[in-house]
């Protein structure tokens, strides 16, 4: 992984040395790398930073102003790693606020009482969100879609915040599960905030007995919590949304059509009109065309 300029410098030289060592019989392979990602560049105002243009950004000052975690997250969230980032278009303030939300979640869970890690007894809706985010972040990180992974962590923070404020509360085991999973996953991108969150949560020690988020096991998604119990089906009449139904993901076309045609919003919209055609796309859409 490196900048594109490395293609004719370090990468090429490494390949030459590998070929020589293979010819000498020191190694059995002829290529030093099996995969390459050329990371993008941080530019400013549409151009590469340079003293002559006067568009340079002092990284030290930015870190001093916003903190290293916020700067790292700003660059990671701005784009996939292969793309350029224009510093004029990003806003580290947003990441400062996000990290503040993460810290407040951890602090409120810690203040709610002794750690209750009987997660299975916790709020099931939040557990579904947590495990879906764990599965998604794991997959996105493995595919180097780091900006998408950060977006999913933001969703988890919002869901946990909602559970604390208007749901089961900070003492619920599912809220602690979410807070701890959040700290572990965030440690890839914002290690300082994650470590402080882990400490205040009194997170469990890792395999070596060290109580650090860096030593904590990566969370595993429970397949049973990834299964959707219901989805929202939009019902339209002549192209306009008239009702919404909560249905099983496995509902049949015939079952969905019957539910849609008898939905209260559809009945009012038809007002005695005959149905000319029904287009059913289970499980998320039914479009009724009236004569």
């Amino acid at each position: 992984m490196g900048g594109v300029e490395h293609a004719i410098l370090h990468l090429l030289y490494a390949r030459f040395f590998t070929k020589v060592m293979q010819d000498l019989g020191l190694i059995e392979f002829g290529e030093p790398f099996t995969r390459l990602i050329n990371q993008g560049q941080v530019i400013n105002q549409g151009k590469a930073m340079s003293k002559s243009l006067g568009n340079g950004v002092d990284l030290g000052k930015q870190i001093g102003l916003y903190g290293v975690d916020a700067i790292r997250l700003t660059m990671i969230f701005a784009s996939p790693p292969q793309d350029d980032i224009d510093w004029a278009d990003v806003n580290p303030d947003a990441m400062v606020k996000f990290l503040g939300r993460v810290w407040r979640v951890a602090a409120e869970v810690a203040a709610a009482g002794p750690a209750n890690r009987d997660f299975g007894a916790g709020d099931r809706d939040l557990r579904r969100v947590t495990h879906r985010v764990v599965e998604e972040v794991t997959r996105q990180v493995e595919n180097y879609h780091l900006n998408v992974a950060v977006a999913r962590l933001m969703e988890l923070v919002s869901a946990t915040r909602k559970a604390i404020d208007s749901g089961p509360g900070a003492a619920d085991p599912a809220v602690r599960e979410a807070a701890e999973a959040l700290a572990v996953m965030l440690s890839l991108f914002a290690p300082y905030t994650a470590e402080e969150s882990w400490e205040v949560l009194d997170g469990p020690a890792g395999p070596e007995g060290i109580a650090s988020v860096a030593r904590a096991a990566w969370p595993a998604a429970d397949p049973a919590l990834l299964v959707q119990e219901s989805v929202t089906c939009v019902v339209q009449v002549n192209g306009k949304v008239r009702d919404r139904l909560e249905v099983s993901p496995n509902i049949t076309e015939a079952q969905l059509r019957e539910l849609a045609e008898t939905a209260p919003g559809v009945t009012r919209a038809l007002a005695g009109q005959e149905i000319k055609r029904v287009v059913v796309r289970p499980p998320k859409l039914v479009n009724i065309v009236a004569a």
Side-chain angles (χ1 to χ4, degrees), residues 117-226:
R117 295 191 172 89
D118 183 14
F119 299 145
D123 182 77
R124 194 165 179 82
D125 288 340
L126 179 58
R127 296 202 74 212
R128 289 184 188 282
V129 175
T130 300
H131 285 253
R132 178 179 57 79
V133 170
V134 167
E135 191 274 336
E136 183 94 357
V137 169
T138 303
R139 179 160 48 85
Q140 299 298 348
V141 167
E142 289 173 348
N143 291 323
Y144 298 100
H145 300 158
L146 307 184
N147 56 322
V148 180
V150 173
R152 297 298 171 264
L153 293 181
M154 292 177 174
E155 292 177 8
L156 180 56
V157 172
S158 296
T160 309
R161 183 75 262 166
K162 183 178 179 181
I164 292 173
D165 294 340
S166 58
D172 189 275
V175 176
R176 172 166 284 275
E177 179 185 34
E180 292 185 359
L182 176 63
V184 175
M185 292 186 288
L186 185 67
S187 69
L188 296 182
F189 314 109
Y192 295 101
T193 303
E195 191 66 64
E196 291 183 3
S197 297
W198 194 252
E199 181 178 358
V200 76
L201 286 167
D202 193 24
E208 304 91 344
I210 301 174
S212 167
V213 73
R215 303 294 188 185
W218 186 261
D222 183 347
L225 293 171
L226 300 178

Side-chain angles (χ1 to χ4, degrees), residues 28-189:
E28 297 181 353
F29 56 90
E31 297 294 343
F33 312 109
T34 58
R35 189 174 182 183
L36 171 66
I37 292 181
N38 281 323
Q39 65 191 33
Q41 186 178 15
V42 181
I43 61 177
N44 193 21
Q45 299 172 350
K47 299 179 181 179
M49 297 185 196
S50 70
K51 292 182 179 178
S52 61
L53 292 175
N55 66 339
V57 175
D58 188 325
L59 179 60
K61 289 183 179 179
Q62 294 292 310
I63 291 175
L65 183 61
Y66 299 106
V68 65
D69 278 356
I71 297 300
R72 282 167 57 93
L73 272 178
T74 297
M75 292 190 290
I76 289 170
F77 186 62
S79 74
Q82 299 93 330
D83 295 350
D84 289 345
I85 300 168
D86 195 323
W87 196 254
D89 297 334
V90 300
N91 180 18
D93 277 323
M95 290 304 159
V96 172
K97 293 177 181 178
F98 168 64
L99 292 172
R101 296 184 71 200
V102 172
W103 166 251
R104 286 191 293 275
V105 164
E108 291 180 33
V109 171
N116 181 357
R117 295 191 172 89
D118 183 14
F119 299 145
D123 182 77
R124 194 165 179 82
D125 288 340
L126 179 58
R127 296 202 74 212
R128 289 184 188 282
V129 175
T130 300
H131 285 253
R132 178 179 57 79
V133 170
V134 167
E135 191 274 336
E136 183 94 357
V137 169
T138 303
R139 179 160 48 85
Q140 299 298 348
V141 167
E142 289 173 348
N143 291 323
Y144 298 100
H145 300 158
L146 307 184
N147 56 322
V148 180
V150 173
R152 297 298 171 264
L153 293 181
M154 292 177 174
E155 292 177 8
L156 180 56
V157 172
S158 296
T160 309
R161 183 75 262 166
K162 183 178 179 181
I164 292 173
D165 294 340
S166 58
D172 189 275
V175 176
R176 172 166 284 275
E177 179 185 34
E180 292 185 359
L182 176 63
V184 175
M185 292 186 288
L186 185 67
S187 69
L188 296 182
F189 314 109

Side-chain angles (χ1 to χ4, degrees), residues 250-261 278-283 285-286:
N250 302 316
I251 192 170
T252 66
E253 183 174 328
Q255 291 171 330
L256 188 56
R257 174 171 179 161
E258 182 179 353
L259 287 174
E261 290 180 357
V278 179
V279 178
V280 183
R281 296 192 178 95
L285 178 67
V286 177

